[in-house]
C-alpha cells in the first residue's frame, strides 16, 4: 500500500496524520509548523518526511525501516525500530540553530548525520547490535601542496673541464680503487656498488669494516675537490679474487661489492607479526589471526602443537615459546598513519613525504616471516606506481609522478651539447578494450537502499494452489544511487489455497542482515486453518506459529579474515491446545494446536482452551575441528513438556569448505572501458584496488587502462661525466634535434668509472627517465 | 575537498624544483580562499631556502610565508592567484628538502 500525504500546507494550524499498517508501507509526509505525524507498522516501512519548525515526526517499525528526515530549526525527529534501520538525517542545516536528532534502534543501524558549526546542536545515536554511524563537522580541511626542492652548489655542477676523483675508505682508511660501478635502480632506495681494488689484496677490506664511497668534483680553476658521498656506513657484501698471468706478468684482481645500509631498510621487519587495525572499521575479533601468525583454539588459547589443526604453521622460538602476534588498534588508521608506522617507526626514516592522497585503511599487516614493513605497505600504493627516493635529512619521498604539475616545476635542462646520447623508447603497448577493477566498499556504511521489487510465483498441486511472493531489496552506492549493486530477498510470503479458494495456510518469513550483509536472523509467522476454540470450534485462519531465529558469527580460528557461524537459536511460539480434563503432573496436557487438530483431539464441547506461548527452542552450535570440518551440536527443548525437557540432542560432523570472508561481501568489481570502446572484444585484465576507496580506485584504474594502451614514454640519457646533482626523483628536460622534448623524472641512474687515477680516466653516467605529469605520449 | 590549482586549473599536490645555490624560481597558483585560513609554508631550518608569496599582479613585495603567513580572509569565497617564489640558499654541496605549502586555519 502506498500513501503520499502532505500535511500542513503552510497554515499555522496544527495538523496530524497517523499511518498504520501490517506489511509493506510507503509513506511520504511533510510537516510544517507544529504538526505531528506518527508512522507505525510491522514489516518493511519506507518513510520520507521533512520536519520544520517545532514539528515532530515519529517513525517506528518492526522489521526493516528506511527513514529520511531533515530537521530545521527547533524541531526533532525520532526514528526507532527493530531490525535494520537506515536513516539519513541532517541536523542544523543552517548555522547557529538549535536542533536535535535521536536515532535509536535494536540491531543494525546505519545513520549518516552532518553537524555544522553551531552552538547547542546535538545528535544522539544509540542502538544494540551493529551500529555504523558517520558524522562529520563541516570545517574546511587543511590543504596545499609540497615543494620538492633540489639545490646544488655551483662547485658541483657538470661543466666542460670538470674533473673527478673516486675515493673508497674502509673504517676511515682510504683503499685505492681502479674502477667502480654505481647503480641506483628503480623502485628501491639504496644503491649497489661494485669496485675493483688497485692492490689485489683480499684482506684489505674486512666484513666488519664500515665503507664510505665518495666522488670528488673539481671545477676548472678550483683549488681542491668538493666531495659528495654516495655510500656511507656500507658493509662488504661480496668479494671475488682472481689470480692470473698474462705475458709473464700477474693479472690478479680483487672485485668487491658493498652493501648499502640505506637500501637494506626495505628488508626491515617487526620482531613478530604485527597488525594495525582501525577499530571503527573492523573489530579485534574480525582481525583474527594475522598472516603467518599464531593458531588459536576455540577458547582463544595459543596452540603450540599441530593437534587437531592442519592450518598455518605455528612458529616458535628454539626454546618453544610461540611467536605471539600483536594486534594494535589505531583510531582513524589511514594510509598516512600506516606509512608512518612502517617507514618512520619501523624503518627509521625521519619522515615520509608524499603527494598521494590519504584514505582510511581497515588493517595493515607486517610480518617478519616472508614479509617486511615495506611489503606490508606496498599493496596500498601499488596502483599509484609511485617513485621512492630519499631526502638528505633522512626523509623518504613517495611520489606519484602523474601528479607532477608541469606548469609549476623547474627542470634541469639537458641540451644536446650537454649529453652523449639520448634514446627515446615507446614501450610495447597492449591493445586492451577494458579493465576490471575490484575494490572494497567501506564496511556497512557505503550502501543505500534503492527500493524493493516483488516476485510472484504460483504453482498448483492437486486441488491446492500455492502462491509465493518475494520482496527483494535493491541496494546501491551513494555515489551511484541509480545503479543496483546487489539484491537480497528480505521477505517471503507463501499462501496455500484449497479447492474452494480459501486460504488454508500462509506463512511469512522476513530475514534480517548485519552490517556485513550476513543473515543475522529471521522472523517467521505461520497462519493455518484450525478450530478456533474461542469461537465454538469454528474453522478459522489463525496464527499458529511465530518463529524467531538469531544467528551469530565468529572469526574462523585458522583462516584470517574468514568467519564461521557460531550459533543459531530459534524460538518457536505458537497456538497451544490445552486439555483441562487430561492432566499430567497436575497440569493440563498441552500440545501445539496444529498437532491437536491433525490428530483429532480438538473438541469445542470439551474442557479445552487455546493460548499462545512458547513451544520449542532449538540451539545449534558449530565448532571448527579442522580446516573445512565442523562439529554441529543441536539441542531442542520441548517447552510444552511438564516440565520443559530435551526433545533432541546430537553432535554431528560436517565436512566441506566452511566459512565466509568477512570482506568478500563488500567487494565490488567494475568494468572500465577504454576511450572510444563501447563493447569488449578482447580479453580483459583484472586488477585489485585493495583498501583504496572507490573515488580513488576508479581514476587510478582508468589511468592504468590508458597506460596499458599507451605506455608512458621512457628516455635513456648518457652524460659525459657524473652530474652529482642528478638523483632519483630529479626532474630533467632532455632535448631532441628539434628542441626540448618534454619533462621527465629520473627513475634510475648508473655511473661507471674506469682507469681511475690515470690520464685515461673515464667517468660516465646514464639516466633512466619516465615521462612526468601524465601527459599523452607522442 | 579544496585544492590549490596550477595555471592549467589542475589540482596541485607536487611541485618539483631544481635550482643552483641562490637560484630563484617563481610560479603561479590559484588558492581557494576561506575566511580564517592562511597561506603558510613549513621550511625546514636547515633548508637555507625561502618561500614567499604575493597576489599576482599586485606589485606588492613578496612576503616570506614561513615567517608571516598571508591571511586569506580578505579574499574569502574567491579563488585568488598567488605568485610563489622560491629562493635557494647557499648550500655546501647538495640539498634535497620537502617544503609543505599549506592553506590552513593554524599557520
Amino acid at each position: 500500500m502506498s500513501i503520499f500525504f502532505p500535511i500542513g500546507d503552510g497554515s499555522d494550524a496544527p495538523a496530524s496524520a497517523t499511518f498504520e499498517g501490517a506489511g509493506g508501507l510507503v509513506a511520504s509526509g511533510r510537516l510544517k509548523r507544529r504538526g505531528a505525524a506518527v508512522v507505525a507498522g510491522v514489516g518493511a516501512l519506507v518513510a520520507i518526511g521533512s520536519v520544520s519548525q517545532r514539528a515532530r515526526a515519529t517513525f517506528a517499525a518492526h522489521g526493516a525501516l528506511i527513514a529520511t528526515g531533515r530537521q530545521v530549526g527547533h524541531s526533532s525527529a525520532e526514528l526507532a525500530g527493530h531490525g535494520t534501520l537506515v536513516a539519513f538525517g541532517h541536523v542544523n542545516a543552517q548555522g547557529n540553530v538549535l536542533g536535535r536528532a535521536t536515532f535509536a534502534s535494536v540491531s543494525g543501524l546505519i545513520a549518516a548525520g552532518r553537524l555544522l558549526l553551531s552552538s547547542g546542536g546535538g545528535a544522539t545515536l544509540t542502538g544494540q547490535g551493529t551500529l555504523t554511524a558517520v558524522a562529520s563537522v563541516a570545517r574546511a580541511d587543511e590543504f596545499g601542496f609540497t615543494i620538492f626542492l633540489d639545490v646544488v652548489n655551483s662547485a658541483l655542477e657538470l661543466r666542460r673541464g670538470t674533473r673527478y676523483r673516486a675515493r673508497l675508505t674502509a673504517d676511515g682508511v682510504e683503499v685505492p680503487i681502479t674502477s667502480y660501478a654505481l647503480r641506483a635502480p628503480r623502485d628501491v632506495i639504496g644503491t649497489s656498488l661494485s669496485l675493483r681494488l688497485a692492490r689485489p689484496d683480499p684482506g684489505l677490506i674486512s666484513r666488519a669494516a664500515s665503507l664510505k664511497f665518495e666522488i670528488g668534483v673539481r671545477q676548472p680553476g678550483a683549488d681542491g675537490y668538493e666531495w659528495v658521498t654516495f655510500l656511507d656506513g656500507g658493509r662488504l657484501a661480496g668479494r671475488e679474487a682472481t689470480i692470473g698471468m698474462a705475458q709473464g706478468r700477474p693479472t690478479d684482481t680483487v672485485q668487491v661489492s658493498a652493501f648499502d645500509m640505506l637500501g637494506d631498510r626495505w628488508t626491515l621487519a617487526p620482531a613478530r607479526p604485527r597488525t594495525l587495525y582501525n577499530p571503527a572499521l573492523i573489530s579485534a575479533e574480525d582481525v583474527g589471526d594475522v598472516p603467518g601468525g599464531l593458531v588459536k583454539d576455540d577458547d582463544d588459547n595459543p596452540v603450540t602443537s599441530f593437534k587437531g589443526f592442519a592450518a598455518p604453521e605455528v612458529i616458535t622460538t628454539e626454546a618453544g615459546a610461540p611467536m605471539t602476534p600483536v594486534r594494535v588498534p589505531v583510531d582513524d588508521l589511514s594510509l598516512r598513519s600506516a606509512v608512518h608506522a612502517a617507514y618512520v617507526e619501523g624503518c627509521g626514516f625521519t619522515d615520509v613525504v608524499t603527494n598521494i592522497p590519504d584514505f582510511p585503511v581497515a588493517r595493515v599487516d607486517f610480518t617478519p616471516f616472508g614479509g617486511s614493513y615495506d611489503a606490508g605497505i606496498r599493496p596500498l600504493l601499488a596502483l599509484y606506481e609511485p617513485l621512492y627516493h630519499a631526502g638528505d635529512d633522512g626523509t623518504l619521498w613517495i611520489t606519484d609522478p602523474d601528479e607532477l604539475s608541469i606548469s609549476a616545476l623547474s627542470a634541469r635542462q639537458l641540451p644536446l651539447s650537454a649529453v652523449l646520447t639520448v634514446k627515446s623508447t615507446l614501450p610495447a603497448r597492449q591493445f586492451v578494450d577494458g579493465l576490471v577493477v575490484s575494490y572494497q566498499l567501506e564496511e556497512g556504511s557505503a550502501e543505500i537502499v534503492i527500493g524493493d521489487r516483488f516476485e510472484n510465483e504460483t504453482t498448483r498441486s492437486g486441488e491446492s494452489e500455492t502462491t509465493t511472493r518475494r520482496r527483494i531489496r535493491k541496494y546501491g552506492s551513494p555515489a551511484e544511487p541509480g545503479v543496483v549493486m546487489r539484491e537480497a530477498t528480505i521477505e517471503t510470503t507463501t499462501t496455500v489455497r484449497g479447492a474452494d479458494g480459501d486460504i488454508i495456510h500462509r506463512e511469512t518469513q522476513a530475514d534480517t542482515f548485519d552490517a556485513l550483509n550476513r543473515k543475522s536472523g529471521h522472523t517467521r509467522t505461520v497462519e493455518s486453518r484450525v478450530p478456533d476454540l474461542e469461537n465454538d470450534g469454528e474453522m478459522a485462519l489463525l496464527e499458529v506459529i511465530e518463529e524467531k531465529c538469531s544467528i551469530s558469527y565468529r572469526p574462523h580460528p585458522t583462516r584470517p579474515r574468514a568467519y564461521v557461524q557460531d550459533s543459531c537459536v530459534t524460538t518457536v511460539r505458537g497456538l497451544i491446545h490445552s486439555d483441562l480434563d487430561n492432566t499430567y503432573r497436575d497440569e493440563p496436557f498441552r500440545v501445539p494446536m496444529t498437532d491437536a487438530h491433525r490428530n483429532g483431539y480438538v473438541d469445542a464441547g470439551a474442557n479445552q482452551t487455546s493460548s499462545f506461548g512458547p513451544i520449542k527452542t532449538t540451539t545449534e552450535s558449530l565448532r571448527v575441528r579442522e580446516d573445512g570440518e565442523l562439529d554441529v551440536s543441536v539441542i531442542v527443548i520441548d517447552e510444552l513438556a511438564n516440565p520443559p525437557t530435551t526433545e533432541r540432542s546430537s553432535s554431528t560432523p560436517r565436512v566441506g569448505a566452511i566459512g565466509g570472508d568477512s570482506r568478500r561481501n563488500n567487494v565490488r568489481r567494475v568494468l572500465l572501458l577504454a576511450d572510444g570502446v563501447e563493447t569488449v572484444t578482447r580479453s580483459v585484465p583484472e586488477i585489485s584496488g585493495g583498501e583504496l576507496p572507490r573515488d580513488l580506485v576508479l581514476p587510478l584504474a582508468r589511468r592504468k587502462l590508458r597506460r596499458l594502451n599507451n605506455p608512458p614514454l621512457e628516455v635513456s640519457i648518457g652524460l659525459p661525466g657524473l652530474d652529482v646533482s642528478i638523483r632519483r626523483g630529479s626532474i630533467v628536460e632532455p632535448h631532441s634535434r628539434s628542441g626540448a622534448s618534454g619533462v621527465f623524472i629520473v627513475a634510475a641512474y648508473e655511473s661507471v668509472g674506469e682507469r681511475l687515477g690515470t690520464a685515461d680516466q673515464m667517468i660516465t653516467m646514464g639516466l633512466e627517465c619516465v615521462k612526468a605529469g601524465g601527459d599523452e605520449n607522442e | 575537498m579544496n585544492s590549490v590549482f596550477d595555471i592549467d586549473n589542475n589540482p596541485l599536490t607536487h611541485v618539483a624544483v631544481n635550482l643552483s645555490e641562490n637560484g630563484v624560481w617563481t610560479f603561479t597558483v590559484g588558492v581557494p580562499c576561506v575566511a580564517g585560513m592562511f597561506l603558510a609554508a613549513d621550511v625546514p631550518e636547515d633548508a637555507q631556502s625561502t618561500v614567499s608569496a604575493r597576489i599576482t599582479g599586485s606589485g606588492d613585495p613578496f612576503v616570506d610565508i614561513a615567517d608571516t603567513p598571508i591571511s586569506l580572509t580578505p579574499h574569502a569565497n574567491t579563488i585568488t592567484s598567488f605568485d610563489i617564489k622560491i629562493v635557494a640558499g647557499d648550500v655546501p654541496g647538495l640539498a634535497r628538502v620537502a617544503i609543505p605549502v599549506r592553506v590552513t586555519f593554524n599557520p
Side-chain angles (χ1 to χ4, degrees):
Chain A
M1 175 176 68
S2 300
I3 297 176
F4 295 89
F5 202 107
I7 305 170
D9 59 356
S11 68
D12 291 332
S16 66
T18 301
F19 302 83
E20 293 182 357
L25 166 66
V26 177
S28 175
R30 183 164 60 91
L31 294 172
K32 292 180 67 177
R33 301 193 180 194
R34 301 183 185 83
V38 176
V39 186
V42 175
L45 165 65
V46 178
I48 301 172
S50 63
V51 178
S52 61
Q53 298 191 8
R54 298 187 183 81
R56 185 172 189 83
T58 302
F59 301 83
H62 295 273
L65 166 64
I66 302 164
T68 303
R70 183 169 66 90
Q71 295 175 329
V72 177
H74 301 276
S75 54
S76 65
E78 292 181 0
L79 295 92
H82 296 273
T84 304
L85 165 65
V86 179
F88 293 89
H90 288 279
V91 178
N92 290 347
Q94 304 164 7
N96 298 319
V97 175
L98 294 176
R100 188 155 199 89
T102 302
F103 303 82
S105 77
V106 175
S107 75
L109 164 66
I110 301 169
R114 181 167 61 95
L115 292 172
L116 300 185
L117 283 176
S118 63
S119 59
T124 303
L125 296 93
T126 61
Q128 294 172 329
T130 305
L131 166 64
T132 301
V134 178
S136 62
V137 177
R139 196 178 184 103
D141 292 328
E142 180 175 295
F143 56 95
F145 60 94
T146 302
I147 300 171
F148 292 85
L149 176 63
D150 278 336
V151 184
V152 58
N153 186 292
S154 57
L156 297 176
E157 291 177 342
L158 175 60
R159 307 171 194 164
R160 191 179 298 276
T162 302
R163 298 171 66 178
Y164 300 94
R165 253 197 73 191
R167 180 168 71 189
L168 173 71
T169 55
D171 291 332
V173 177
E174 183 169 354
V175 179
I177 58 175
T178 59
S179 68
Y180 75 88
L182 175 71
R183 292 180 181 84
R186 191 183 297 214
D187 205 30
V188 295
I189 289 295
T191 56
S192 68
L193 177 67
S194 60
L195 314 106
R196 178 170 293 185
L197 305 184
R199 196 172 110 218
D201 179 359
L204 276 179
I205 300 176
S206 68
R207 284 199 179 273
S210 175
L211 303 178
K212 184 174 183 179
F213 179 74
E214 301 164 281
I215 298 287
V217 182
R218 180 177 168 185
Q219 302 295 355
D223 292 332
Y225 287 88
E226 293 284 340
W227 293 93
V228 177
T229 301
F230 284 85
L231 177 75
D232 196 3
R235 292 287 187 274
L236 182 69
R239 182 180 62 218
E240 185 180 275
T242 306
I243 298 174
M245 293 289 288
Q247 298 176 340
R249 302 185 68 168
T251 57
D252 298 356
T253 60
V254 173
Q255 193 99 5
V256 301
S257 58
F259 188 67
D260 180 6
M261 299 307 289
L262 176 63
D264 182 54
R265 295 192 195 195
W266 258 201
T267 63
L268 292 180
R272 58 185 59 195
R274 181 182 178 88
T275 293
L276 308 182
Y277 69 97
N278 187 336
L281 298 179
I282 58 174
S283 66
E285 289 74 24
D286 285 341
V287 172
D289 291 327
V290 299
L294 192 67
V295 173
K296 296 192 176 180
D297 63 18
D298 294 339
D299 297 321
D300 212 34
N301 296 315
V303 173
T304 56
S305 73
F306 291 104
K307 182 179 179 180
F309 290 85
E313 62 277 9
V314 176
I315 298 176
T316 67
T317 65
E318 199 168 345
M323 300 289 285
T324 310
V326 177
R327 305 170 198 163
V328 180
V330 178
D331 292 334
D332 298 324
L333 181 64
S334 67
L335 172 70
R336 297 288 170 91
S337 52
V339 162
H340 186 273
Y343 294 123
V344 177
E345 296 173 13
C347 296
F349 290 97
T350 57
D351 196 7
V352 177
V353 181
T354 180
N355 66 338
I356 292 174
D358 203 10
F359 53 87
V361 171
R363 66 183 288 169
V364 60
D365 300 294
F366 306 117
T367 177
F369 310 122
S372 64
Y373 284 115
D374 177 58
I377 293 293
R378 290 290 177 127
L380 300 176
L381 302 171
L383 269 188
Y384 285 97
E385 298 176 85
L387 299 177
Y388 297 80
H389 32 270
D392 290 332
D393 51 354
T395 58
L396 175 65
W397 295 7
I398 304 175
T399 56
D400 178 4
D402 262 31
E403 293 299 314
L404 192 64
S405 173
I406 301 300
S407 64
L409 60 77
S410 158
R412 280 287 306 277
Q413 297 296 316
L414 293 178
L416 291 180
S417 58
V419 302
L420 290 177
T421 58
V422 178
K423 184 170 87 169
S424 166
T425 303
L426 194 62
R429 55 188 292 198
Q430 304 178 38
F431 292 92
V432 178
D433 289 338
L435 182 71
V436 171
V437 58
S438 60
Y439 60 92
Q440 207 94 38
L441 284 176
E442 294 174 16
E443 292 196 16
S445 63
E447 284 191 329
I448 59 171
V449 176
I450 296 176
D452 294 343
R453 66 179 182 86
F454 296 89
E455 283 183 359
N456 297 315
E457 178 185 339
T458 302
T459 58
R460 294 184 189 278
S461 174
E463 293 186 341
S464 66
E465 175 188 275
T466 301
T467 302
T468 303
R469 178 179 169 88
R470 295 184 182 83
R471 172 188 289 265
I472 299 170
R473 179 140 295 163
K474 299 181 287 185
Y475 297 89
S477 162
E480 292 182 312
V483 177
V484 177
M485 306 292 283
R486 75 177 181 93
E487 292 185 336
T489 300
I490 61 170
E491 187 178 279
T492 304
T493 301
T494 304
T495 306
V496 181
R497 296 179 185 272
D500 56 0
D502 290 341
I503 297 175
I504 59 176
H505 176 92
R506 180 167 58 199
E507 64 178 73
T508 299
Q509 177 168 323
D511 296 333
T512 59
F513 302 89
D514 64 13
L516 296 180
N517 301 322
R518 303 174 297 196
K519 180 175 175 179
S520 60
H522 67 252
T523 301
R524 189 168 73 96
T525 58
V526 178
E527 297 167 279
S528 190
R529 279 178 65 84
V530 292
D532 183 0
L533 290 176
E534 304 292 326
N535 192 20
D536 296 329
E538 291 291 323
M539 294 299 291
L541 188 68
L542 301 178
E543 182 174 320
V544 294
I545 296 287
E546 180 194 74
E547 177 183 289
K548 292 190 176 179
C549 174
S550 174
I551 305 170
S552 63
Y553 300 87
R554 60 199 289 269
H556 197 291
T558 60
R559 285 166 33 194
R561 299 199 183 198
Y563 61 84
V564 291
Q565 195 168 302
D566 182 27
S567 68
C568 177
V569 179
T570 305
T571 58
V572 178
R573 290 165 49 86
L575 194 62
I576 301 168
H577 174 271
S578 299
D579 187 345
L580 278 65
D581 292 333
N582 183 7
T583 63
Y584 176 69
R585 293 169 57 83
D586 300 324
E587 294 287 336
F589 189 73
R590 301 188 305 160
V591 294
M593 179 61 77
T594 49
D595 290 352
H597 170 57
R598 187 168 56 250
N599 291 287
Y601 289 160
V602 182
D603 182 354
N607 196 8
Q608 298 176 352
T609 61
S610 64
S611 61
F612 208 88
I615 291 180
K616 182 166 60 177
T617 301
T618 303
T619 303
E620 284 189 348
S621 299
L622 300 96
R623 288 292 177 266
V624 178
R625 289 195 303 113
E626 296 179 13
D627 191 23
E629 293 190 15
L630 287 178
D631 275 338
V632 181
S633 70
V634 180
I635 300 172
V636 181
I637 302 296
D638 181 354
E639 306 284 357
L640 293 180
N642 181 20
T645 188
T646 306
E647 178 183 306
R648 177 165 66 103
S649 174
S650 65
S651 178
T652 312
R654 295 278 187 273
V655 298
I658 299 294
D661 188 333
S662 62
R663 296 176 70 80
R664 187 185 310 147
N665 290 342
N666 283 339
V667 173
R668 294 290 175 260
R669 298 167 74 220
V670 177
L671 171 65
L672 303 177
L673 295 177
D675 292 341
V677 173
E678 294 185 356
T679 58
V680 170
T681 59
R682 298 185 180 88
S683 173
V684 174
E686 183 162 354
I687 60 173
S688 170
E691 297 265 5
L692 270 74
R694 184 182 188 277
D695 58 348
L696 293 180
V697 164
L698 294 187
L700 287 174
R702 291 192 185 96
R703 182 168 88 181
K704 179 77 174 180
L705 180 57
R706 284 197 302 273
R707 286 184 170 179
L708 288 174
N709 283 309
N710 196 14
L713 197 63
E714 296 183 358
V715 161
S716 301
I717 303 171
L719 300 178
L722 175 61
D723 191 331
V724 298
S725 66
I726 296 181
R727 299 181 277 184
R728 280 171 295 198
S730 295
I731 309 299
V732 298
E733 191 164 12
H735 288 217
S736 66
R737 298 213 180 272
S738 53
S741 57
V743 176
F744 292 79
I745 299 176
V746 176
Y749 71 85
E750 179 184 58
S751 175
V752 174
E754 296 176 330
R755 299 181 293 278
L756 298 175
T758 70
D760 296 329
Q761 173 177 290
M762 184 175 73
I763 289 181
T764 59
M765 185 179 195
L767 310 177
E768 289 180 25
C769 311
V770 295
K771 196 83 182 292
D775 288 340
E776 290 298 322
N777 294 305
E778 297 182 2
Chain B
M1 185 175 166
N2 271 330
S3 172
V4 177
F5 299 94
D6 64 12
I7 59 172
D8 298 322
N9 279 326
N10 297 315
L12 189 65
T13 63
H14 174 184
V15 175
V17 178
N18 291 267
L19 294 174
S20 301
E21 58 178 348
N22 302 314
V24 179
W25 179 249
T26 306
F27 58 97
T28 302
V29 300
V31 179
C33 296
V34 176
M37 299 191 90
F38 294 81
L39 180 64
D42 300 329
V43 179
E45 284 187 12
D46 56 353
Q48 298 182 337
S49 302
T50 60
V51 177
S52 52
R54 69 178 179 189
I55 293 178
T56 303
S58 65
D60 294 338
F62 278 93
V63 174
D64 184 338
I65 56 175
D67 289 338
T68 311
I70 296 175
S71 172
L72 302 178
T73 300
H75 316 285
N77 302 317
T78 67
I79 297 179
T80 303
S81 179
F82 283 87
D83 295 330
I84 306 293
K85 183 169 79 173
I86 305 166
V87 179
D90 190 8
V91 299
L94 295 173
R96 166 170 276 189
V97 292
I99 302 174
V101 176
R102 300 180 296 126
V103 180
T104 176
F105 284 107
N106 303 301

